[in-house]
Amino acid sequence: MNLAIDIGANIGLISCQCGHLFGEVHMYEPNPIILKILEANSMLSLDENYTIHPYALSDNEGFTDLTIPKSN
């Protein structure tokens, strides 16, 4: 089975357009505001072969606060 991993998925533009080509799609997006859009886009565009991970990836273990500038 082939696998797609989208790190920093944002609203899912790449995953939602290409996800049907993969057996599984894993999307990582830590921004809770954008996450709601990613969830909606995924439901509309993908079959049930996707998983959304609501956190960021790092080479360090631990937790930190996500700061999102309003102008972003």
Side-chain angles (χ1 to χ4, degrees):
M1 175 181 352
N2 52 0
L3 173 71
I5 300 174
D6 190 353
I7 299 171
N10 200 281
I11 63 169
L13 288 176
I14 299 299
S15 293
C16 290
Q17 288 181 7
C18 302
H20 68 281
L21 301 173
F22 297 89
E24 286 183 41
V25 179
H26 290 267
M27 296 170 278
Y28 293 82
E29 178 52 54
N31 184 332
I33 298 166
I34 297 298
L35 190 63
K36 294 174 185 184
I37 300 168
L38 177 60
E39 290 170 346
N41 286 343
S42 299
M43 282 190 275
L44 294 170
S45 302
L46 299 172
D47 293 329
E48 296 180 6
N49 66 333
Y50 69 90
T51 304
I52 297 174
H53 304 276
Y55 45 82
L57 299 180
S58 173
D59 59 352
N60 297 313
E61 186 174 338
F63 294 90
T64 189
D65 291 326
L66 176 64
T67 304
I68 305 163
K70 292 268 187 192
S71 62
N72 187 9

